[in-house]
């Protein structure tokens, strides 16, 4: 799988980090701080459609059992919808100075 290079600057420290091209940052994570508090890198989460979402009828939700952790961003929905329902693996978690982020990668479906 091809890696996507990103340069990230946090607190005046710049470093390069590679993420798989199939990975994405969840949106809405700040609304679910309690749900993601105990999540660690390597954890497996569930990905499914949420058609009753009042903001987006094509929303794809990421859950830890029954707790919502966040959503697939609109610009990534087309690339992941063929994998839904499926699971994702947490590959990066950052909780710094009020900024929460959770990056996940798609786990290939077993045929």
């Amino acid at each position: 799988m091809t890696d996507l290079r990103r340069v990230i600057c946090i607190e005046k420290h710049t470093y390069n980090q590679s993420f798989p091209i199939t990975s994405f940052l969840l949106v809405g994570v700040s609304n679910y701080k309690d749900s993601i508090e105990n999540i660690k890198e390597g954890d497996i989460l569930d990905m499914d459609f949420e058609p009753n979402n009042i903001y987006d009828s094509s929303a794809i939700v990421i859950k830890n059992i029954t707790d919502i952790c966040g959503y697939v961003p609109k610009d990534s929905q087309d690339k992941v919808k063929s994998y839904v329902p499926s699971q994702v693996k947490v590959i990066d978690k950052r909780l710094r100075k009020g900024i929460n982020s959770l990056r996940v990668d798609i786990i290939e479906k077993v045929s």
Side-chain angles (χ1 to χ4, degrees):
M1 202 170 276
T2 312
D3 283 340
L4 177 65
R5 287 295 233 192
R6 288 183 60 184
V7 176
I8 301 169
C9 180
I10 296 177
E11 297 173 10
K12 300 182 183 177
H13 299 287
T14 302
Y15 61 96
N16 287 324
Q17 186 163 357
S18 294
F19 294 116
I21 196 81
T22 54
S23 73
F24 51 90
L25 285 169
L26 299 185
V27 295
V29 173
S30 295
N31 298 320
Y32 304 104
K33 290 177 188 175
D34 293 340
S35 298
I36 67 166
E37 186 176 346
N38 295 321
I39 291 177
K40 306 177 294 302
E41 288 183 27
D43 284 355
I44 305 298
L45 307 173
D46 296 317
M47 177 171 65
D48 206 351
F49 290 110
E50 190 181 56
N52 296 328
N53 185 304
I54 60 172
Y55 302 105
D56 181 6
S57 61
S58 60
I60 301 172
V61 65
I62 306 295
K63 292 183 176 183
N64 183 17
I65 305 173
T66 58
D67 296 332
I68 295 175
C69 299
Y71 291 87
V72 175
K74 275 193 166 291
D75 63 350
S76 297
Q77 285 178 352
D78 285 341
K79 83 174 181 180
V80 302
K81 68 182 174 186
S82 64
Y83 294 95
V84 178
S86 188
Q87 293 182 316
V88 294
K89 182 178 183 179
V90 177
I91 60 170
D92 191 45
K93 177 182 177 184
R94 299 181 195 251
L95 300 172
R96 292 188 182 197
K97 295 186 178 182
I99 299 173
N100 301 295
S101 72
L102 201 60
R103 179 174 286 274
V104 298
D105 190 19
I106 299 169
I107 297 176
E108 296 290 331
K109 277 188 173 181
V110 178
S111 301

